[in-house]
Amino acid sequence: GGEPVPTFRFWTGDDTDATVVIDDDGMLYVGSEFERGNDRSKLLGQVFKLDPTKPDDPLVWSVQANSGLDTGIWATPALHRDLLIVPTDDGHVLGLDRATGHQRWSFDLPGPLWQSPVVVDDVLVQGDCLGGLHAFDVSDTSVQPSPLWTVQLEGCIESTPAAWDGRLYVGTRVGRFYAIGD
């Protein structure tokens, strides 16, 4: 019972649309846009690992992920083992070491990437804004993921793919909804 009380606050410097992701240790992973271009967002970057047990100084690491104004992170990052997978508005998919924030790999897809990645059985599924739904092998998180397949759909894929019973379900901006599987 009782009234909720804010116990943690961190200013990213810009708009934070992506869902905060939490690992098993309670660390927070946050993606932020780069629309205002203010000093705070220029200094910190757009991807953050935060330790909420240290409210006075929670920043563990941060990464710049923008190519100019109106870019940054709009989608929710994905956790996969020791990796944080982050799609950017300008079409980059980043594989960041969760402990250090160091970039292990990246690849490009047609942006903007507003859809969140999903990892199922060591397969990264990421949509793009030309309607491509892509799968990549992320069984070894230390190397560049190799492409497995691409399915072409109609319209920008903005929704996060859902996985169930051997199928992927995803919607597109043109009002179509797809089930993909064997």
Side-chain angles (χ1 to χ4, degrees), residues 2-19:
E3 292 294 315
V5 177
T7 58
F8 180 78
R9 181 179 169 169
F10 182 82
W11 182 41
T12 64
D14 217 316
D15 190 4
T16 303
D17 287 342
T19 301

Side-chain angles (χ1 to χ4, degrees), residues 67-167:
S67 61
L69 286 179
D70 294 326
T71 61
I73 311 302
W74 295 28
T76 299
L79 295 173
H80 178 60
R81 297 189 201 157
D82 59 347
L83 196 64
L84 182 70
I85 301 168
V86 185
T88 71
D89 182 64
D90 46 3
H92 307 300
V93 179
L94 310 175
L96 304 177
D97 183 291
R98 283 179 33 195
T100 66
H102 175 76
Q103 182 177 307
R104 293 185 187 169
W105 50 258
S106 72
F107 59 84
D108 294 333
L109 293 173
L113 300 182
W114 295 336
Q115 53 293 121
S116 302
V118 172
V119 180
V120 179
D121 297 331
D122 289 328
V123 175
L124 163 64
V125 178
Q126 177 69 55
D128 69 38
C129 242
L130 290 182
L133 187 65
H134 309 272
F136 300 88
D137 180 356
V138 289
S139 58
D140 183 347
T141 63
S142 66
V143 300
Q144 180 83 16
S146 57
L148 297 172
W149 51 260
T150 297
V151 174
Q152 191 61 43
L153 309 176
E154 291 181 67
C156 177
I157 301 171
E158 291 186 21
S159 70
T160 301
W164 184 75
D165 199 24
R167 289 207 167 91

